[in-house]
Amino acid sequence: MKLKVKAKALDEAGIKRTLMRISHEILEKTQGKEDLAIVGIRTRGAYLAERIAKNIMEIDKKEVPVGALDITMYRDDLTEIAEQPVLHSTDIDFDITGKRIILVDDVLFTGRTVRCALDELIDFGRPASIRLAVLVDRGHRELPIRPDFVGKNIPTAKGESVEVKIKETDDREEVLVLE
Amino acid sequence: MNKPNKNKWTKKHLLSIEELSAEEIQIILDYAERFKEVLARPIPKVPALRGKTIVNLFSEPSTRTRSSFELAEKRLSADSLSLAASSSSFKKGESLVDTAKNIEAMRVDMIVIRHSSAGAARLVSEHVNGSVINAGDGMHEHPTQALLDIFTIKEKLGKINGLNVSIIGDIAHSRVARSNIWALKKMGANVTICGPKTLIPRQIGEMGITVTYDLASALKNADVINVLRIQLERQERGLFPSIREYIKHFGITKEVLEKHAKKNVLIMHPGPINRGIELSQDAADGEYSVILDQVTNGVAVRMAVLFLLNSIKLKSGENRIKTTAKTV
C-alpha cells in the first residue's frame, strides 16, 4: 500500500530552528556541565546528534563527544520484520561511565527502539544519566518511555507514518506526515 | 562508517564455500566486521540470538573451532550445548542421521557439525528443519576457516582481489585448503599451491590455480603464505619419506622466508601447528605472523554466520527444527 502525503510538518528552516532550540534546552538543563555527551540512534538520529553537537559548539564553544548506536543486534523483533536487517556500525569511542548522555532519535513512536538503545548503551558502561531528545514525537507509546526534549509533537493515527528526510541520507530536508 | 551491505542473505545452511557467491562471501565479511567491534566492547555480548538453541556436534577432536563456535554463540546470547564424539552415542554406533534427529527432537534451531566424512553436514541438513553449519567434513570443506582466513587477509592488507596467496603443505588431505582455494578464487586472488607431489591432488590445477613442487617459486611473489598442518600419520602411510625430508624441502623458517619471500609477507596457519615441522618457531612467532589474529577473527566471523543464518525469513515455525521429522 502506497501512502500519500497528508501534511508537511517541518521544512528545512523549521528543522534547523527546532534543532537549535533543542540544543539550547539541552545546555540550559545541563547547565554547561563538562560531562555532557550525545549519542544518536542510526541512521538519522546519528546525524541529528552530530548537528546538535555542532550547535552546542557554536553556542557554548564547547566540544561534546558524539557517538552513534546501531541497535539491530538488540532488537526484539528480528524474527518478525520482513526485511533482513541491515547492520551498521556502532561507534562510541569515549567512556560513557559517569557521562550525562543525551540520546537522540528522529521519530519517537512505540518506544521500542529507545528501549533497545538503552539496553545497548548500558552495556557500554554506567552513565550518570540518560535523557532522550527527539525531532518528532508522534505518540502511540507501547512502553513507559517519554522524551525529555521534543522538537515537535505531531498527533497521528496509528496507520499513518512520519517520514523525516535529512540531507545526509535523503538529499532533502523535511518532515512529512503520510496517510 | 563503512556503507552497510544491502545485498540480501538467503541461504539457510552454510555447507561449503563452493556454493557461495562472491557477494555472499562479502556479506559475511561485512557482518564480521561489525561483530568484531562488538567483541571489543566492555560487555562483548549482544542479545541477537536470545532464545535460540544451538547444538555443536563434534565427532572429531577440535579445540579452536569448537571453542570459537561456542564463544560466538555465547556472545550472541544463544543457548548452546556441545557434544563430543568420545562422550556421545556416536561411540555406541548410533548413525549420524539418528543422532541429528534425536537432537532435533529437543527443539534445536541450529546444528554446527564436524565429522570425519565428507558430506556429513549436507546429509544432516537434508534430514532436519533447522540450519546446519559445516565445521569441517572429512577432506571436503571447512568453510568458516576459509572465511576467517580471508577476513584476516582483508583486515591486514585491505583487499583480497589481485593478491598472491600461496598455500603450502598437504593439499590433498586438507579441507582448509579446499575451502580457502574456493574463497580466494571467488574473491579474485591468485592462488598457488605447493607441497610434495604425493600430497597434491592430480586434477587440482583445473580449479584455476598454479601448482608447484618448488617452495622457492611458491614464496617468490606471495603476499600471503598459508601454511597447512602436516598430519604426521600421513608419513606412516608413505606419502613422504621422512619428517626431516619434508622440513628440508617444504618447512617454512625465518631463513627460508628471508631468502625467498617478500619482506612483509603475511604468515598464516589454521592450527594446530607442528612447531619445527611445517613452520619453525621463529617464523610462527615472527613479526608478520597473523596466526593469533586468525583465532580472534574466527569468533567474529562465526557470529556473522550464525546471525545471518538466523536472520533469513522462513515460513512461520520453519526455522525451528520440528519434532515430527520424517523418518528415513
Side-chain angles (χ1 to χ4, degrees), chain B residues 36 149-159 163 223-224 264 266 268 287-294 297:
Chain B
K36 188 151 187 196
D149 287 345
I150 58 171
F151 181 85
T152 306
I153 295 173
K154 195 158 180 231
E155 184 181 66
K156 298 291 170 187
L157 301 179
K159 60 171 187 176
L163 290 180
D223 300 298
V224 179
N264 51 359
L266 285 194
M268 307 179 82
E287 199 183 338
Y288 297 106
S289 164
V290 294
I291 296 168
L292 292 175
D293 298 83
Q294 288 173 267
N297 291 338

Side-chain angles (χ1 to χ4, degrees), chain B residues 24-144:
Chain B
E24 286 171 322
I25 293 173
Q26 191 59 50
I27 295 175
I28 298 174
L29 298 183
D30 288 347
Y31 275 69
E33 212 173 300
R34 304 281 165 262
F35 284 111
K36 188 151 187 196
E37 180 266 312
V38 170
L39 293 174
R41 293 182 189 179
I43 298 178
K45 184 173 176 127
V46 290
L49 292 193
R50 211 171 48 170
K52 300 289 168 187
T53 309
I54 303 174
V55 169
N56 305 305
L57 190 60
F58 277 67
S59 83
E60 275 190 339
S62 164
T63 317
R64 245 164 308 273
T65 306
R66 198 175 109 185
S67 49
S68 181
F69 266 110
E70 284 180 15
L71 260 184
E73 289 150 8
K74 289 186 199 318
R75 299 305 192 210
L76 289 169
S77 308
D79 297 312
S80 66
L81 81 118
S82 294
L83 298 175
S86 52
S87 59
S88 70
S89 293
F90 277 148
K91 263 271 178 322
K92 297 181 185 168
E94 189 179 44
S95 81
L96 179 59
V97 171
D98 275 340
T99 305
K101 284 166 68 179
N102 276 276
I103 291 168
E104 84 179 344
M106 293 180 234
R107 293 168 61 76
V108 165
D109 299 284
M110 281 192 226
I111 296 179
V112 178
I113 178 169
R114 161 162 299 185
H115 198 275
S116 55
S117 301
R122 185 171 306 276
L123 178 70
V124 169
S125 76
E126 283 160 5
H127 291 286
V128 298
N129 287 302
S131 291
V132 175
I133 298 176
N134 181 4
D137 59 335
M139 296 176 216
H140 176 228
E141 282 224 37
H142 189 350
T144 55

Side-chain angles (χ1 to χ4, degrees), chain B residues 187-206:
Chain B
M187 301 308 279
N190 308 310
V191 183
T192 301
I193 58 166
C194 175
K197 257 187 186 146
T198 45
L199 295 179
I200 294 197
R202 219 166 289 161
Q203 316 290 330
I204 200 154
E206 289 169 15

Side-chain angles (χ1 to χ4, degrees), chain B residues 87-307:
Chain B
S87 59
S88 70
S89 293
F90 277 148
K91 263 271 178 322
K92 297 181 185 168
E94 189 179 44
S95 81
L96 179 59
V97 171
D98 275 340
T99 305
K101 284 166 68 179
N102 276 276
I103 291 168
E104 84 179 344
M106 293 180 234
R107 293 168 61 76
V108 165
D109 299 284
M110 281 192 226
I111 296 179
V112 178
I113 178 169
R114 161 162 299 185
H115 198 275
S116 55
S117 301
R122 185 171 306 276
L123 178 70
V124 169
S125 76
E126 283 160 5
H127 291 286
V128 298
N129 287 302
S131 291
V132 175
I133 298 176
N134 181 4
D137 59 335
M139 296 176 216
H140 176 228
E141 282 224 37
H142 189 350
T144 55
Q145 178 69 43
L147 291 167
L148 73 91
D149 287 345
I150 58 171
F151 181 85
T152 306
I153 295 173
K154 195 158 180 231
E155 184 181 66
K156 298 291 170 187
L157 301 179
K159 60 171 187 176
I160 296 162
N161 191 23
L163 290 180
N164 298 318
V165 181
S166 293
I167 305 174
I168 316 287
D170 180 358
I171 310 291
H173 300 94
S174 174
R175 55 191 173 214
V176 174
R178 223 168 306 276
S179 286
N180 258 284
I181 292 169
W182 280 118
L184 290 164
K185 289 299 297 171
K186 283 170 196 269
M187 301 308 279
N190 308 310
V191 183
T192 301
I193 58 166
C194 175
K197 257 187 186 146
T198 45
L199 295 179
I200 294 197
R202 219 166 289 161
Q203 316 290 330
I204 200 154
E206 289 169 15
M207 286 179 86
I209 56 180
T210 310
V211 180
T212 175
Y213 310 109
D214 171 41
L215 187 62
S217 66
L219 300 187
K220 199 170 157 235
N221 291 315
D223 300 298
V224 179
I225 301 173
N226 200 343
V227 187
L228 301 178
R229 170 185 164 75
I230 279 297
Q231 285 152 307
L232 300 175
E233 59 274 19
R234 308 284 176 223
Q235 193 248 323
E236 288 156 23
R237 288 181 40 207
L239 290 171
F240 53 95
S242 71
I243 297 292
R244 196 183 308 164
E245 188 86 2
Y246 183 86
I247 298 171
K248 190 175 155 212
H249 291 290
F250 298 101
I252 304 288
T253 63
K254 198 168 172 225
E255 197 191 328
V256 168
L257 289 173
E258 278 168 1
K259 199 165 156 198
H260 299 295
K262 284 190 192 171
K263 207 173 148 274
N264 51 359
V265 65
L266 285 194
I267 307 296
M268 307 179 82
H269 191 296
I273 306 173
N274 294 306
R275 279 182 186 261
I277 301 179
E278 70 266 9
L279 199 57
S280 72
Q281 195 85 11
D282 51 12
D285 305 330
E287 199 183 338
Y288 297 106
S289 164
V290 294
I291 296 168
L292 292 175
D293 298 83
Q294 288 173 267
V295 180
T296 308
N297 291 338
V299 179
V301 166
R302 290 178 174 114
M303 286 171 81
V305 169
L306 293 165
F307 182 86

